[in-house]
Amino acid sequence: MKRLQDWIATGQVAQFVAGSLDAATHAEIFAAAKLSTEVREAIATAKEQMMAHLMAQMMQQDPEALIAAGKLQAYATGLLSDEERQFVELMAMAHPQVSVAMDEIKRQMVADRIQKIKGLNPDDIIASSLLMDFVLGECTDDEQLDVQLAAAHFPVVEDELAILRGLNDRLIISGAIIPPSASQDRFSTFLEQSTMPSDGWSLVMPSLNPSSKPTDFAAWVDRVKPELINPEANLNAFPMEANRDMLTLLVVVKEGLEAETHLHDIEKFLVLEGSCYIEMPTEKIFLNPGDYFSVPKFTTHTVVVTSDIPCKLIVQQIAA
């Protein structure tokens, strides 16, 4: 494909991956990628090369200096610019001690937030307008977190929230306009045409959902060579893609993972090999190859491997 060779020779495939192309050329390459395996492979190669270059740059940086500068706390509280956030995320991928420090900051933030909520009076929360503001989407980010935590720790708050949500839903339905059947048909057709290609390939890392299959992630999993997995380690984790909204990892667990609670993330699991169970305060979920499960925010959970072989999973942390 001569056009592809021209794109590669002029660096336009690399620019496509970096997001620095003009809109017309970007659209042209994107359209070609939908139809051509060769173009998709060229884009995948360019992504690998760009990531390898970035990782080489990150390895030259001092992780301890980043930690000491307080950048991780600023990252966790959303105070960094997009460029600074990307730098921190790349450093976490290149230096395990940065990733460990970030997890510790998250755990402490969870503990502090939970302690704050436990000191509140649930009756005061219900008497305020905070729950209705939450249902209407008029809360600040901090207020949303307070309501979600309060609902998780005070059953009376969760009950009141359910009542308000039901009332809001009824108001929406009563005022809704039913679209013409032709519009509904066109929308259904659009949804059918918008599904991922049959080979599971996508320009964008797919988000885990109940319909996800291991083949959806094969293109990324295949890039993690078996020799990189340490058979003696309890945990091997390989970042496959990261952005400000989602971190996707290939995780290989030999025995299990310690209890953790996520304040800002929903954590999703898809089992590729082996089996495990996820234990939460109120239930225990057993997972086999092909099974999907999502752990809500603020929910303490532990992973225990039940198979004779290590459990291999796709794990996604979705900002929420």
Side-chain angles (χ1 to χ4, degrees), residues 111-166:
D112 292 345
R113 199 91 190 195
I114 290 174
Q115 195 61 37
K116 170 193 170 185
I117 293 300
K118 285 182 176 179
L120 298 177
N121 184 333
D123 292 334
D124 292 340
I125 299 174
I126 292 171
S128 73
S129 63
L130 187 59
L131 299 187
M132 180 54 79
D133 290 343
F134 176 86
V135 170
L136 296 175
E138 296 176 355
C139 286
T140 65
D141 290 345
D142 282 344
E143 288 171 337
Q144 288 184 44
L145 287 173
D146 285 343
V147 170
Q148 290 169 325
L149 272 175
H153 286 278
F154 299 122
V156 292
V157 174
E158 175 59 30
D159 291 344
E160 182 71 14
L161 201 55
I163 292 171
L164 292 175
R165 281 171 169 154

Side-chain angles (χ1 to χ4, degrees), residues 89-275:
E89 288 163 358
L90 289 170
M91 285 291 285
M93 295 172 69
H95 299 281
Q97 60 266 54
V98 174
S99 180
V100 170
M102 290 173 71
D103 285 343
E104 184 56 38
I105 289 171
K106 286 183 178 180
R107 289 191 182 94
Q108 188 57 52
M109 288 178 65
V110 170
D112 292 345
R113 199 91 190 195
I114 290 174
Q115 195 61 37
K116 170 193 170 185
I117 293 300
K118 285 182 176 179
L120 298 177
N121 184 333
D123 292 334
D124 292 340
I125 299 174
I126 292 171
S128 73
S129 63
L130 187 59
L131 299 187
M132 180 54 79
D133 290 343
F134 176 86
V135 170
L136 296 175
E138 296 176 355
C139 286
T140 65
D141 290 345
D142 282 344
E143 288 171 337
Q144 288 184 44
L145 287 173
D146 285 343
V147 170
Q148 290 169 325
L149 272 175
H153 286 278
F154 299 122
V156 292
V157 174
E158 175 59 30
D159 291 344
E160 182 71 14
L161 201 55
I163 292 171
L164 292 175
R165 281 171 169 154
L167 174 62
N168 188 58
D169 290 345
R170 287 194 294 274
L171 289 172
I172 291 172
I173 292 171
S174 67
I177 298 174
I178 300 176
S181 58
S183 297
Q184 296 181 50
D185 292 341
R186 284 196 295 273
F187 183 67
S188 298
T189 301
F190 169 78
L191 290 178
E192 291 172 1
Q193 294 174 348
S194 300
T195 55
M196 187 181 298
S198 59
D199 63 359
W201 187 89
S202 172
L203 290 174
V204 179
M205 173 70 71
S207 177
L208 280 175
N209 62 77
S211 301
S212 292
K213 305 180 295 296
T215 52
D216 297 340
F217 296 85
W220 287 273
V221 173
D222 289 346
R223 296 175 196 169
V224 179
K225 306 303 180 186
E227 57 268 23
L228 296 176
I229 300 174
N230 179 2
E232 303 301 321
N234 174 55
L235 172 64
N236 286 268
F238 303 94
M240 295 194 295
E241 190 153 301
N243 56 54
R244 66 179 300 166
D245 298 315
M246 180 173 72
L247 170 64
T248 304
L249 303 153
L250 173 65
V251 175
V252 182
V253 187
K254 189 175 181 181
E255 298 174 358
L257 301 175
E258 295 181 358
E260 62 178 358
T261 308
H262 297 289
L263 179 62
H264 297 289
D265 307 308
I266 296 169
E267 190 162 56
K268 300 181 178 183
F269 298 84
L270 177 68
V271 179
L272 305 180
E273 297 175 8
S275 60

Side-chain angles (χ1 to χ4, degrees), residues 293-320:
F293 186 69
S294 177
V295 178
K297 291 192 297 181
F298 318 125
T299 303
T300 301
H301 56 282
T302 306
V303 177
V304 179
V305 176
T306 56
S307 54
D308 294 333
I309 63 172
C311 191
K312 183 183 291 187
L313 312 102
I314 300 293
V315 178
Q316 280 185 346
Q317 293 179 351
I318 311 294

